[in-house]
Amino acid sequence: MKNQQPLTAKWGKPLVTGLLISAAAASFSCEKEPDLMEIADRIHSRVLKIDTHADTPLQMARPGFDIREEHDPWTTGSQVDIPRMEKGELNGLFMVAYLGQGPRDSASHVAADEKMTEYFELIHQTVADNGDKLAFAQEPKDLKAIADAGKIAIFIGMENGYPLGTDISKVRKFYDLGARYITLSHGGNNEICDSSTDPNGPEHGGLSEFGKEVVKEMNRLGMMIDVSHISDDAFFDVLEISTAPIVATHSSARALCDHPRNLTDDMIVKLAKNGGVIQVNALSSYVKTPEPNPARESDMAALRESFGPMQELTDERRDEYRAEMMKIREKYKADLATVADYVDHIDHIVNLVGIEHVGIGMDLDGGGGLADCYDISEIKNITIELVKRGYSEEAIEKIWSGNFMRVFEEIMQSGSTSVRPL
């Protein structure tokens, strides 16, 4: 598949060579245009679908939030709950235990460890309290088994290695609590590596010495290394050191949207050569460079000035910031990127490295959201767009789950740790 040029369907969108929808359309008369919506409905309900990055525990931690209730994303800021996961026919979700970057002294690392542990406990308790709808998952095979049981598989990802401090034993601690990947950094540099967006620029020149040990320990455990958010130099350091494939759980293509959070073509090529996968992020400003809008930019500047640096905010102030951000996004929702813009990134990655190295990591409840796919209930719109562009059911299943779960399995098998029941 690599380096093959896409064919073009008669509706003007690229087709993935060898993975066309002709089989799905074969039952239709040659005089009749295939009913693309019918094809999309059938494919969407049949393929396994997993979103590899959702910051939903941030919502779950808010007083009064009930994951069994359906929420309005534009008024509450919530983009994921059980009713909307069911509406979207989602089969699996990586709920992310997230902490923003904070002070880097020993006391702060201890506090961060304690706070991160609380998020893990919250995820476990939520799954246990909703056992008729959700089931905790630790291994790739759990996705299908749980889907077959009529439930939604909940995996855990850990976003930001900040709570590790400089204690390598914490990697195993969070693995045993259920984390199956760690996003090495977030918006600022930490003890592991440089961030792609630290306002003060790089500190380590990539991975720190401790960060190199973290990569080796994650390899030993069979734990996925998430390179979203880390600097380019740190990305290449991880590639050089890791003995297993790596993943980007929520990043897009920098060639289409020039943001340091996205991966360059060279990075995507090397990630694919390493056997890894990039899960395309649905955060609008990582999907499409916003058109100039002085009013929106003025509102955003006023918001940032009012709250100051994100890494210095308390959890309560972060919640206030997010609420104000939601008001701005709702006010200017016409400016959001669309599903078509999002699938442009999938097309770009497929054309660059083949169908085997791309998936879906939307970053909902953490900034993600498209004009026509703003919460988890609307994810069928992605499948519809893929069908419009000629992707087959086989290709769509790879994008929605197959590629990531294959890499997840390979990484787990490469480690020496047997999975423990929790």
Side-chain angles (χ1 to χ4, degrees):
M1 276 300 302
K2 290 185 182 180
N3 302 320
Q4 292 183 345
Q5 293 300 311
L7 303 177
T8 302
K10 56 186 169 185
W11 51 87
K13 299 296 184 181
L15 291 171
V16 183
T17 307
L19 294 167
L20 313 186
I21 65 167
S22 56
S27 61
F28 293 86
S29 164
C30 61
E31 289 86 17
K32 182 181 178 182
E33 182 74 23
D35 185 336
L36 298 180
M37 288 298 294
E38 182 179 336
I39 294 170
D41 285 345
R42 186 165 62 249
I43 290 174
H44 191 76
S45 36
R46 284 202 301 225
V47 303
L48 288 171
K49 298 163 293 291
I50 186 166
D51 182 346
T52 59
H53 195 95
D55 289 280
T56 305
L58 291 175
Q59 295 286 343
M60 289 154 46
R62 293 179 176 180
F65 180 81
D66 187 347
I67 199 168
R68 295 185 77 92
E69 292 183 2
E70 184 169 349
H71 301 79
D72 179 347
W74 295 109
T75 59
T76 68
S78 164
Q79 294 172 297
V80 178
D81 51 44
I82 290 172
R84 285 180 290 171
M85 286 192 278
E86 291 178 332
K87 282 186 177 181
E89 301 179 67
L90 189 74
N91 302 112
L93 183 70
F94 269 83
M95 283 191 177
V96 174
Y98 157 77
L99 276 184
Q101 186 57 47
R104 291 166 54 189
D105 57 88
S106 59
S108 297
H109 287 141
V110 169
D113 175 20
E114 293 172 351
K115 184 65 176 178
M116 182 64 79
T117 303
E118 289 177 9
Y119 277 121
F120 276 79
E121 292 170 349
L122 174 62
I123 295 168
H124 284 293
Q125 190 62 55
T126 299
V127 174
D129 289 346
N130 296 278
D132 59 326
K133 300 286 189 178
L134 310 176
F136 188 68
Q138 300 185 72
E139 300 182 73
K141 67 182 182 181
D142 293 341
L143 177 63
K144 185 177 187 306
I146 292 169
D148 287 346
K151 299 181 183 183
I152 300 165
I154 302 299
F155 297 85
I156 301 180
M158 175 174 164
E159 185 172 25
N160 197 359
Y162 167 51
L164 304 181
T166 56
D167 185 349
I168 198 68
S169 72
K170 296 291 178 63
V171 179
R172 179 60 189 255
K173 170 190 169 175
F174 288 111
Y175 181 90
D176 286 345
L177 286 174
R180 291 299 173 261
Y181 69 70
I182 297 177
T183 312
L184 298 182
S185 72
H186 192 254
N189 304 332
N190 60 22
E191 306 308 321
I192 297 171
C193 66
D194 295 330
S195 165
S196 63
T197 54
D198 191 296
N200 296 317
E203 172 185 340
H204 307 291
L207 285 175
S208 69
E209 290 304 312
F210 175 68
K212 295 174 184 177
E213 293 306 308
V214 168
V215 168
K216 293 173 184 176
E217 177 67 359
M218 292 176 72
N219 282 165
R220 187 186 72 81
L221 294 171
M223 193 177 193
M224 289 181 282
I225 300 166
D226 179 16
V227 296
S228 293
H229 280 289
I230 73 176
S231 72
D232 292 6
D233 286 339
F235 172 94
F236 289 114
D237 283 350
V238 171
L239 268 183
E240 182 178 346
I241 293 167
S242 179
T243 56
I246 62 175
V247 300
T249 67
H250 58 306
S251 294
S252 298
R254 203 179 299 178
L256 274 62
C257 183
D258 189 11
H259 193 289
R261 269 283 286 109
N262 290 337
L263 304 190
T264 66
D265 282 0
D266 182 48
M267 294 164 82
I268 295 168
V269 167
K270 287 182 169 61
L271 177 145
K273 186 176 180 181
N274 166 264
V277 62
I278 173 174
Q279 305 290 105
V280 177
N281 193 329
L283 198 151
S284 184
S285 61
Y286 301 163
V287 175
K288 184 178 181 180
T289 303
E291 295 292 332
N293 184 326
R296 181 195 65 221
E297 290 159 14
S298 175
D299 285 353
M300 285 298 299
L303 177 66
R304 287 191 291 266
E305 183 177 355
S306 173
F307 281 83
M310 286 296 291
Q311 62 267 30
E312 296 177 8
L313 299 183
T314 64
D315 288 345
E316 290 75 19
R317 287 288 284 167
R318 285 178 192 274
D319 284 347
E320 293 173 15
Y321 177 90
R322 285 163 58 85
E324 293 301 314
M325 173 70 79
M326 286 306 307
K327 292 177 184 178
I328 294 174
R329 294 186 78 183
E330 199 277 336
K331 182 178 178 181
Y332 299 105
K333 60 185 176 183
D335 294 347
L336 290 172
T338 65
V339 167
D341 297 322
Y342 181 83
V343 177
D344 285 346
H345 286 258
I346 294 175
D347 281 347
H348 179 80
I349 294 163
V350 170
N351 292 336
L352 185 65
V353 295
I355 192 66
E356 308 288 341
H357 303 284
V358 64
I360 308 289
M362 296 189 69
D363 208 1
L364 296 179
D365 287 330
L370 306 167
D372 44 355
C373 186
Y374 196 71
D375 69 13
I376 203 71
S377 72
E378 299 179 311
I379 60 172
K380 188 186 291 184
N381 290 338
I382 297 173
T383 303
I384 292 168
E385 185 66 22
L386 290 168
V387 170
K388 285 180 180 179
R389 298 190 186 203
Y391 286 84
S392 70
E393 180 169 337
E394 179 188 356
I396 291 169
E397 175 133 39
K398 288 182 177 184
I399 292 167
W400 263 120
S401 63
N403 291 335
F404 187 86
M405 303 312 281
R406 182 195 72 247
V407 175
F408 184 5
E409 177 69 27
E410 182 176 343
I411 292 168
M412 285 200 75
Q413 291 300 320
S414 71
S416 61
T417 304
S418 59
V419 176
R420 299 177 178 182
L422 297 176

